[in-house]
């Protein structure tokens, strides 16, 4: 009976130590309202068991992408490019309207509302993750997740 109790404690201890899994959710791409303007990608990153740093987001349907931060200074709205974004272990970083986002320049016109497009996330440690983001029209409300 004592051995059975020790095994139970050991198994409970192992299940309590499981590593947090990194994942991406709530992702979508809003198409530009005017031809030639960039589309914008939004999503939420959920950190795994270790700190990491996002260094790029790419799409095969875009000629160029940039990480950006929106801000207001002196009553004026502005954006600045970001070289990287830290994602703490177990943390959450939201890319959302009015905050951080990804600009997608030169988007291929085959991308239409209602479809999905793959976004590839690259981290400083070399890890890459693909995410299928819903594509929405310029005036459509953000998807409800």
């Amino acid at each position: 009976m004592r051995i059975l109790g020790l095994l139970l404690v050991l198994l409970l201890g192992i299940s309590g130590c499981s590593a947090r899994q990194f994942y991406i959710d709530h992702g979508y791409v809003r198409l530009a309202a005017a031809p030639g303007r960039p589309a914008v990608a939004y999503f939420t990153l959920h950190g795994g068991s270790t700190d990491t740093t996002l260094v790029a987001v790419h799409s095969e349907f875009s000629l160029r992408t940039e990480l950006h931060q929106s801000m207001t200074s002196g009553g004026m709205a502005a954006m600045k490019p970001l070289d990287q974004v830290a994602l703490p272990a177990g943390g959450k970083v939201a890319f959302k309207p009015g905050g951080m986002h990804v600009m997608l320049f030169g988007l291929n016109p085959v991308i239409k509302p209602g479809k999905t497009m793959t976004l590839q996330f690259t981290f400083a440690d070399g890890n890459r993750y693909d995410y299928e983001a819903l594509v929405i029209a310029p005036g459509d409300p953000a998807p409800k997740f």
Side-chain angles (χ1 to χ4, degrees), residues 1-73:
M1 192 66 168
R2 187 172 187 200
I3 293 175
L4 183 59
L6 288 173
L7 284 174
L8 182 60
V9 169
L10 180 62
L11 288 174
L12 288 174
I14 291 171
S15 67
C17 294
S18 62
R20 288 183 176 244
Q21 291 293 321
F22 164 85
Y23 66 98
I24 304 164
D25 65 2
H26 298 161
Y28 66 98
V29 172
R30 181 178 301 281
L31 296 176
R37 302 294 300 165
V40 184
Y42 304 109
F43 46 86
T44 301
L45 302 173
H46 298 267
S49 57
T50 60
D51 294 346
T52 191
T53 304
L54 177 68
V55 294
V57 178
H58 296 284
S59 172
E60 66 179 299
F61 295 102
S62 179
L63 294 176
R64 183 178 56 133
T65 60
E66 293 178 7
L67 301 172
H68 275 215
Q69 170 73 53
S70 294
M71 66 194 86
T72 304
S73 177

Side-chain angles (χ1 to χ4, degrees), residues 130-142:
D130 288 345
Y131 179 83
E132 290 298 316
L134 176 66
V135 177
I136 65 171
D140 286 352

